[in-house]
Amino acid sequence: MTQCSTLSEVRENIDRIDDGIVRLIAERAGYVKQASSFKRNEAEVKAPDRVQAIYNKVREKAAEYGADPDMVEALYKEMIARNIALEMDDLKKKQ
């Protein structure tokens, strides 16, 4: 992280990071969409053990990188809940 000398520089860096975050979320969503094509039932879509493993992993990564683990987990909970809803819609279309 670079030390900024103006608020404008801070905002430019935040905007740059936001762009990367959104790009990575979109890329992740593409892989979630691919994964849904392999799932045959509601249990495979909801996969609570897998979801919990993701939460554990991102909490560890948050701590490692100096981010708030609770905030990171909350963000992932929202993202995963929405992804599960989309996957359930895809599953219903297949049946």
Side-chain angles (χ1 to χ4, degrees):
M1 178 170 59
T2 59
Q3 185 63 37
C4 299
S5 57
T6 67
L7 180 56
S8 178
E9 283 182 59
V10 170
R11 288 179 175 161
E12 286 172 15
N13 280 293
I14 289 171
D15 290 346
R16 175 184 55 77
I17 291 166
D18 287 345
D19 181 73
I21 290 169
V22 172
R23 182 178 38 78
L24 290 170
I25 288 170
E27 182 179 353
R28 187 184 191 283
Y31 286 110
V32 168
K33 183 78 171 160
Q34 284 185 48
S36 73
S37 69
F38 297 101
K39 297 176 183 179
R40 299 174 309 258
N41 57 53
E42 184 175 333
E44 289 180 356
V45 169
K46 292 187 176 179
D49 292 341
R50 169 69 176 146
V51 170
Q52 188 59 54
I54 293 169
Y55 296 155
N56 294 342
K57 177 185 67 174
V58 298
R59 287 186 68 83
E60 289 175 14
K61 288 293 182 184
E64 177 184 336
Y65 295 135
D68 177 355
D70 292 336
M71 181 189 69
V72 171
E73 182 178 352
L75 292 168
Y76 268 78
K77 282 185 175 181
E78 180 66 23
M79 183 170 52
I80 288 171
R82 289 175 182 263
N83 287 335
I84 288 172
L86 292 172
E87 286 186 89
M88 288 301 296
D89 287 345
D90 286 348
L91 180 65
K92 288 175 187 172
K93 290 174 187 173
K94 287 194 274 188
Q95 294 176 341

